[in-house]
Amino acid sequence: MTAMSGREKLIVALDLPDAASAVNLAEKLRGHVGMFKVGSELYTAEGPVLAHYLIAVGEKVFLDLKFHDIPNTVKAAARQAAQLGASMFNVHASGGRRMLEAAVEGARSTRSSGRSTASPAVLAVTLLTSLESRDLTELGVTGIPEEAVVRLARLAQQAGLQGVVASPREIEAIRRACGPKFLIVTPGIRPAAAAANDQVRMATPEQAVRAGADFIVVGRPITGAPDPVAAADAIVAEMEMALAPKT
Ligand code: C5P
């Protein structure tokens, strides 16, 4: 992948309850961010309308529906994501190797109806960034969480996925294990001055990029800001500090 600017690396999570408010925000942010993430709240409320709209006007879409089902169903869903013209979509790595391979097959099996003819990047969710050690114990994930994350990232890479969604503090270990070409998309980002909300594993945009994130996902610090464009521009500026050649 060629070097990307701070703006191209910024994915904004359109975590809003309806299409009207999402379109309103997206229109303001166009030209200031690299991609729009449509997740389960908006998708459940409005279906693919928003993604269709964004792709039709030339924007990139990350379809964040975290598929986790039998391989045949995930393959069919992946085909639909590709058909829609999503640039990225994701699945849970814990669905297992055959499900992961099916996702990749589905993504490659059709050409999008959008402007981009490339297949979407398929990303794996390893462990949700909201999980704390007590949650992991209850789920039977023993040992060091970072080891589970790296194991799942490796599995995803072997199955042909292009990358993972990973928390800031997992970036370096995944980069070491999976190499420079494997995409790392990082939520759990808070600009230096912002409140932590409920994300347990946090980093600033600059820290995430320095650690090796290809993309960062930012929701509430932009969507909840009094001036979302100014908030997005400030985050891009923070990333540019990490990207600037050292003098
Ligand atoms: O508002 P905030 O910046 O915390 O939003 C983070 C976004 O990243 C949310 O849309 C959340 O669903 C998403 N996320 C994710 N994968 C994770 C953790 C968070 O896609 N492992």
Side-chain angles (χ1 to χ4, degrees):
M1 170 160 294
T2 52
M4 289 185 296
S5 66
R7 184 179 64 79
E8 287 170 301
K9 287 173 173 289
L10 176 58
I11 304 177
V12 62
L14 289 176
D15 293 331
L16 295 161
D18 59 79
S21 43
V23 168
N24 186 29
L25 181 64
E27 281 303 324
K28 286 186 196 152
L29 290 171
R30 288 185 64 197
H32 296 267
V33 306
M35 202 178 303
F36 291 94
K37 184 169 86 65
V38 175
S40 26
E41 180 183 12
L42 191 54
Y43 199 89
T44 304
E46 303 279 5
V49 171
L50 234 294
H52 274 305
Y53 163 76
L54 289 167
I55 292 161
V57 298
E59 295 296 332
K60 291 186 173 167
V61 169
F62 170 14
L63 195 62
D64 176 22
L65 297 176
K66 300 185 179 72
F67 300 134
H68 190 176
D69 210 315
I70 59 169
N72 192 54
T73 302
V74 168
K75 182 176 172 182
R79 193 183 299 125
Q80 295 295 342
Q83 185 71 45
L84 185 65
S87 295
M88 294 176 176
F89 71 91
N90 54 7
V91 300
H92 277 283
S94 52
R97 185 184 297 271
R98 281 186 305 113
M99 190 207 80
L100 295 168
E101 287 170 352
V104 174
E105 248 181 78
R108 292 197 187 135
S109 65
T110 185
R111 267 174 190 257
S112 93
S113 52
R115 288 181 198 180
S116 159
T117 50
S119 299
V122 188
L123 305 175
V125 173
T126 57
L127 295 180
L128 291 171
T129 52
S130 54
L131 294 173
E132 298 178 44
S133 59
R134 188 186 157 176
D135 301 310
L136 293 169
T137 307
E138 283 174 348
L139 291 172
V141 180
T142 52
I144 304 163
E146 196 182 83
E147 286 174 6
V149 167
V150 167
R151 191 170 63 241
L152 290 164
R154 278 213 180 97
L155 173 65
Q157 188 174 37
Q158 286 164 11
L161 277 75
Q162 282 76 19
V164 283
V165 181
S167 93
R169 60 160 101 139
E170 297 154 359
I171 298 172
E172 284 171 20
I174 293 172
R175 189 56 79 215
R176 261 197 312 276
C178 299
K181 291 193 180 149
F182 199 56
L183 293 179
I184 302 180
V185 178
T186 302
I189 301 295
R190 291 295 173 266
N197 289 330
D198 61 349
Q199 292 270 20
V200 177
R201 293 171 257 172
M202 294 288 173
T204 66
E206 186 183 354
Q207 286 166 343
V209 170
R210 278 197 201 286
D214 296 292
F215 295 91
I216 64 167
V217 175
V218 183
R220 288 160 290 179
I222 294 176
T223 59
D227 183 346
V229 171
D233 289 347
I235 287 169
V236 168
E238 277 197 48
M239 279 193 281
E240 294 291 351
M241 295 210 290
L243 294 170
K246 290 197 185 90
T247 50

